[in-house]
């Protein structure tokens, strides 16, 4: 079955640590890839997206993600996290330019001071 | 424009009752989506409108679920004869045709007791 997998459900980091959250998908067609963030008590917000071109995409708040087609992966990275990055992070895939986003289960990130 | 608005924010209902949620999308967005999010899961696609036309409804969870967008502006999601398993966050999103810039609302949290 087609799916989006996020490997880490809960991550705890100290401020200034580097972050990498994994995302793999199992679709074989054309994909558009997204990372969304949900801060406590807030709505889902788009961090970054990949449609085509340079596989390394930069988003808001210092986040970036790399699309590796051969690995069906779209991992999210940030070199130095801040306490304010504490949130739930969701990877999402849109296949074949359709309308629906297929989300992973999310990763809860806690950044400690 | 304050983004996608959903009403109510919270709804507690007794099992067997009907509930209706409202979504007001960003005014210039012609596409509107409904998602459901349960605890520990990512959002799950339910249905999609382009203007007033419901172009995909096969992923509505059962025939107790229905959605409308009568004038191509706001939308309603109705759940009839609610069950405890319907307890979840119901999310609405909107976008412009041809854009993958989905904007999500804050959601309606439904609790069925």
């Amino acid at each position: 079955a087609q799916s989006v997998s996020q490997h880490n459900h809960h991550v705890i980091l100290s401020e200034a640590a580097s972050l990498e959250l994994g995302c793999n998908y199992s679709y074989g067609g054309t994909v558009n890839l997204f990372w969304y963030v949900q801060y406590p008590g807030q709505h889902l917000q788009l961090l970054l997206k990949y449609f085509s071109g340079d596989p390394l995409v930069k988003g808001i708040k210092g986040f970036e993600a790399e699309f590796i087609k051969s690995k069906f992966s779209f991992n999210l990275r940030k070199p130095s996290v801040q306490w304010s990055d504490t949130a739930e992070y969701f990877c999402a895939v849109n296949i074949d330019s359709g309308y629906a986003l297929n989300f992973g289960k999310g990763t809860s990130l806690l950044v400690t001071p | 424009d304050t983004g996608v608005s959903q009403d109510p924010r919270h709804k507690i209902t007794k099992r067997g009752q009907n509930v209706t949620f409202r979504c007001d999308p960003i005014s210039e967005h012609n596409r509107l989506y409904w998602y459901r999010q349960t605890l520990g899961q990512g959002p799950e696609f339910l249905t999609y409108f382009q203007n007033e036309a419901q172009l995909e409804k096969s992923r509505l969870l059962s025939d107790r679920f229905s959605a409308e967008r009568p004038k191509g502006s706001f939308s309603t999601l109705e759940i009839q004869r609610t069950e405890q398993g319907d307890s979840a966050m119901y999310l609405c999103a909107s976008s412009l045709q041809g854009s993958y810039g989905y904007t999500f609302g804050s959601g309606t949290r439904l609790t069925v007791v």
Side-chain angles (χ1 to χ4, degrees):
Chain A
Q2 298 169 335
S3 66
V4 180
S5 299
Q6 293 184 239
H7 315 298
N8 313 99
H9 296 298
H10 300 277
V11 174
I12 301 175
L13 293 173
S14 299
E15 276 193 316
S18 64
L19 170 72
E20 181 161 3
L21 301 182
C23 173
N24 286 87
Y25 62 93
S26 61
Y27 305 107
T30 302
V31 293
N32 299 312
L33 301 158
F34 306 80
W35 275 97
Y36 280 85
V37 61
Q38 189 168 28
Y39 298 104
Q42 297 189 26
H43 61 277
L44 281 162
Q45 299 174 42
L46 181 66
L47 267 182
L48 48 78
K49 59 188 176 185
Y50 172 81
F51 293 163
S52 63
D54 187 345
L56 183 63
V57 292
K58 295 190 183 299
I60 61 171
K61 305 187 180 186
F63 286 90
E64 65 178 30
E66 185 175 13
F67 171 50
I68 304 179
K69 189 174 181 179
S70 61
K71 295 185 178 180
F72 297 88
S73 71
F74 190 56
N75 292 354
L76 181 71
R77 299 194 292 249
K78 185 171 184 178
S80 176
V81 294
Q82 301 173 318
W83 175 81
S84 58
D85 293 324
T86 293
E88 190 93 15
Y89 292 81
F90 294 93
C91 179
V93 179
N94 167 271
I95 59 171
D96 296 327
S97 301
Y99 40 79
L101 290 179
N102 298 286
F103 284 85
K105 290 186 177 183
T107 296
S108 176
L109 172 66
L110 174 63
V111 180
T112 59
Chain B
D1 186 0
T2 56
V4 177
S5 299
Q6 292 189 246
D7 182 69
R9 292 293 300 273
H10 304 274
K11 177 71 176 178
I12 300 174
T13 191
K14 292 183 178 180
R15 189 175 51 185
Q17 297 295 304
N18 299 343
V19 294
T20 300
F21 311 139
R22 178 180 170 121
C23 171
D24 287 88
I26 292 174
S27 56
E28 61 266 30
H29 285 183
N30 62 339
R31 289 186 170 179
L32 186 147
Y33 314 81
W34 284 99
Y35 284 78
R36 184 180 82 154
Q37 186 176 15
T38 54
L39 197 62
Q41 303 293 320
E44 175 188 11
F45 172 79
L46 296 179
T47 189
Y48 147 68
F49 292 85
Q50 181 163 303
N51 301 310
E52 66 275 13
Q54 190 174 14
L55 299 186
E56 173 58 66
K57 58 182 179 180
S58 66
R59 289 165 71 174
L60 284 167
L61 300 163
S62 78
D63 58 6
R64 298 184 295 107
F65 287 70
S66 63
E68 293 183 343
R69 194 183 184 197
K71 296 182 180 179
S73 57
F74 73 92
S75 176
T76 57
L77 177 69
E78 181 181 17
I79 308 174
Q80 295 183 329
R81 306 180 303 281
T82 52
E83 301 173 356
Q84 285 189 321
D86 296 332
S87 295
M89 178 74 84
Y90 290 84
L91 299 170
C92 178
S94 69
S95 72
L96 274 171
Q97 184 175 351
S99 165
Y100 293 98
Y102 297 69
T103 301
F104 281 86
S106 296
T108 294
R109 182 169 296 284
L110 173 66
T111 302
V112 182
V113 298

